[in-house]
Amino acid sequence: MPFFDALEIRPAAEREAALMAALPGFIALARERSPAWAQWLRDIDPAQIASRAALATLPVLRKHALLHHQQVARDSGGDPFGGVATIGWRSLLRPSGARRVFQSPGPIYEPEGERSDYWRTARALAAAGFEAGDLVHNAFSYHLTPGAWMMEAGAHALGCTVFPGGVGNTELQLAAIADLKPVGYVGTPSFLRILVEKAEAAGLALSLRKALVSGEAFPPSLRDWLAERGITAYQAYATADAGLIAYETPAREGLVLDEGALLEIVRPGTGDPVPDGEVGEVVVTVFNPDYPLIRFGTGDLSAVLPGPCPSGRTNTRIRGWLGRADQTTKIRGMFVHPEQVAEVLRRHPEALRGRLVVSGQMADDHMTLRVETDIPSEALRAALQQTLRDITKLRGEVELLDVGALPNDGKVIEDTRRYD
């Protein structure tokens, strides 16, 4: 089976050693060139951050914090990137090098530098069967967000030609597909289905034979539906901030990590790594000198799969997207955050894992903190109940459970209320 490069099949220990060797220099670079990281890491000795344990001592940068930091900077007439980026343009009083600027919901602004395959998507495209000479129909949005540009850069790096279809205008896009006969598609899986259904209704035979989809869940049922129509589709997991994080291979057993991302799975609301196999928040460190992201919390849930990929790729595999880690909910008019649940547990070492269950109906809320412990006692239950009230300012019950009783789904706050 062909691979994008030799990095995909190097020994896992060699990859881990390379990542750890790169960490200190990357953190030093971020402190030197990024005003935001210079502030956030002012008490850190980069030379000491050379292991996963050391990395886990740094705070997680979550999207809401990045958004707030950018907003504060913009409101004061400062850097629209909040001082995180190391590139920009002349009026930012820093070295140039930003080729494009994108806007993601928030809004959060991300720069794109000048490197080829800047977002590292060529690896995912190659795993999906794309190759030099293919004509690729790109149905990601070219408006504001980087999705289309991410895929276009990867396709160009492979030697593909790209038709910039964008989103909407289904009839015009179908006409272009009929005229140009592209073999590949990149875009959301739902829009690909729309194109196929409309083509079938019009009696058109599509030329599409391969696809890389992202931006939405891609259930096996849709994968099989497309395969029945001659389209072999794979999925990629990427974000506007970090670029490619993981991608599917022909083995169809989870998603393989990109070679440019260092992954941690942490307990939602904390920066604490969880054991392999446990569901938690995806946190990545991406070695991009233009836009350093160190322990960036994506807000997505996933889990590490055991063993290497049957495709021969040796990097870590994850299960794919399993939901959102930010489970903030409003209870009796008060917002309760996963970080608060984590703080309750942190204050009681006997509490190993916990989940806040919200039940009842709106305006008649009940909350119960369900806690796993191997040394249950009435004293622990009462102490947890008081701490829960101290932190959330709300009354709640506490239920003590045996170790392993809570589901492995990454939920820290579960809202079971009825809204009818």
Side-chain angles (χ1 to χ4, degrees):
M1 178 182 298
F3 299 100
F4 180 71
D5 59 25
L7 295 178
E8 294 182 352
I9 55 174
R10 59 182 162 166
E14 180 182 317
R15 176 183 297 106
E16 183 70 5
L19 288 171
M20 294 306 105
L23 260 180
F26 182 66
I27 290 172
L29 178 148
R31 283 210 330 175
E32 177 186 344
R33 300 185 186 177
S34 161
W37 284 113
Q39 174 187 344
W40 296 335
L41 301 176
R42 61 185 179 276
D43 298 324
I44 300 299
D45 177 4
Q48 299 301 312
I49 310 300
S51 68
R52 287 184 178 269
L55 180 64
T57 65
L58 303 183
V60 172
L61 173 63
R62 292 190 165 88
K63 278 200 174 188
H64 64 81
L66 178 59
L67 170 61
H68 174 74
H69 196 74
Q70 286 197 359
Q71 286 177 330
V72 169
R74 293 197 298 267
D75 290 346
S76 63
D79 184 351
F81 300 125
V84 177
T86 66
I87 59 173
W89 47 89
R90 184 171 53 197
S91 62
L92 293 185
L93 302 179
R94 66 180 55 183
S96 60
R99 179 165 50 185
R100 297 185 182 91
V101 180
F102 297 106
Q103 182 194 82
S104 299
I108 293 176
Y109 293 97
E110 305 98 5
E112 179 189 54
E114 297 178 346
R115 294 190 307 277
S116 173
D117 190 23
Y118 189 80
W119 308 92
R120 311 178 314 283
T121 58
R123 189 178 303 280
L125 288 160
F130 289 72
E131 54 190 351
D134 285 348
L135 174 60
V136 180
H137 188 97
N138 189 351
F140 280 112
S141 176
Y142 279 86
H143 178 64
L144 296 178
T145 60
W149 302 97
M150 292 166 69
M151 291 299 177
E152 179 169 301
H156 285 164
L158 287 180
C160 300
T161 301
V162 176
F163 178 80
V167 297
N169 298 311
T170 308
E171 287 74 18
L172 286 176
Q173 296 212 42
L174 274 177
I177 292 172
D179 291 340
L180 298 173
K181 296 180 173 52
V183 69
Y185 166 94
V186 293
T188 62
S190 61
F191 189 64
L192 177 56
R193 178 164 192 152
I194 288 171
L195 289 173
V196 172
E197 288 177 337
K198 287 189 175 293
E200 289 180 342
L204 296 175
L206 292 183
S207 56
L208 299 174
R209 290 295 174 263
K210 60 186 79 171
L212 182 66
V213 298
S214 191
E216 299 172 347
F218 185 43
S221 58
L222 179 52
R223 177 196 68 199
D224 296 343
W225 184 88
L226 291 168
E228 291 168 0
R229 288 152 178 82
I231 302 173
T232 303
Y234 297 90
Q235 57 183 317
Y237 170 35
T239 74
D241 320 86
L244 181 68
I245 295 174
Y247 58 97
E248 194 173 18
T249 76
R252 303 282 193 189
E253 294 188 16
L255 306 182
V256 175
L257 286 185
D258 176 58
E259 296 294 325
L262 193 165
L263 173 98
E264 300 170 272
I265 304 290
V266 307
R267 188 157 287 120
T270 78
D272 303 331
V274 301
D276 285 356
E278 185 173 327
V279 176
E281 181 182 5
V282 174
V283 169
V284 292
T285 297
V286 180
F287 295 82
N288 180 355
D290 300 340
Y291 194 54
L293 293 177
I294 302 166
R295 300 204 85 202
F296 178 70
T298 64
D300 297 323
L301 293 174
S302 194
V304 170
L305 286 171
C309 180
S311 70
R313 294 168 176 86
T314 58
N315 209 341
T316 302
R317 294 179 301 151
I318 60 175
R319 288 174 56 187
W321 187 81
L322 300 177
R324 292 294 294 168
D326 185 3
Q327 299 150 27
T328 299
T329 190
K330 184 176 281 190
I331 306 171
R332 300 175 215 151
M334 299 279 288
F335 281 108
V336 178
H337 306 272
E339 291 85 350
Q340 292 174 297
V341 178
E343 179 60 19
V344 173
L345 301 177
R346 188 190 66 79
R347 296 188 185 184
H348 300 275
E350 310 95 319
L352 303 179
R353 294 177 64 217
R355 171 180 301 199
L356 189 68
V357 179
V358 188
S359 58
Q361 294 177 296
M362 296 301 290
D364 185 24
D365 301 331
H366 304 278
M367 69 179 196
T368 301
L369 181 63
R370 307 184 74 212
V371 175
E372 291 183 3
T373 180
D374 52 9
I375 46 174
S377 68
E378 178 58 27
L380 175 60
R381 189 196 66 77
L384 282 164
Q385 193 168 6
Q386 183 60 49
T387 304
L388 179 65
R389 184 178 181 184
D390 291 344
I391 290 176
T392 66
K393 312 306 179 187
L394 297 167
R395 292 181 181 271
E397 300 298 319
V398 172
E399 180 182 354
L400 301 182
L401 307 173
D402 292 335
V403 176
L406 291 174
N408 179 23
D409 57 9
K411 286 187 179 179
V412 174
I413 300 176
E414 181 181 8
D415 191 345
T416 66
R417 288 174 292 190
R418 292 167 47 202
Y419 294 86
D420 52 357

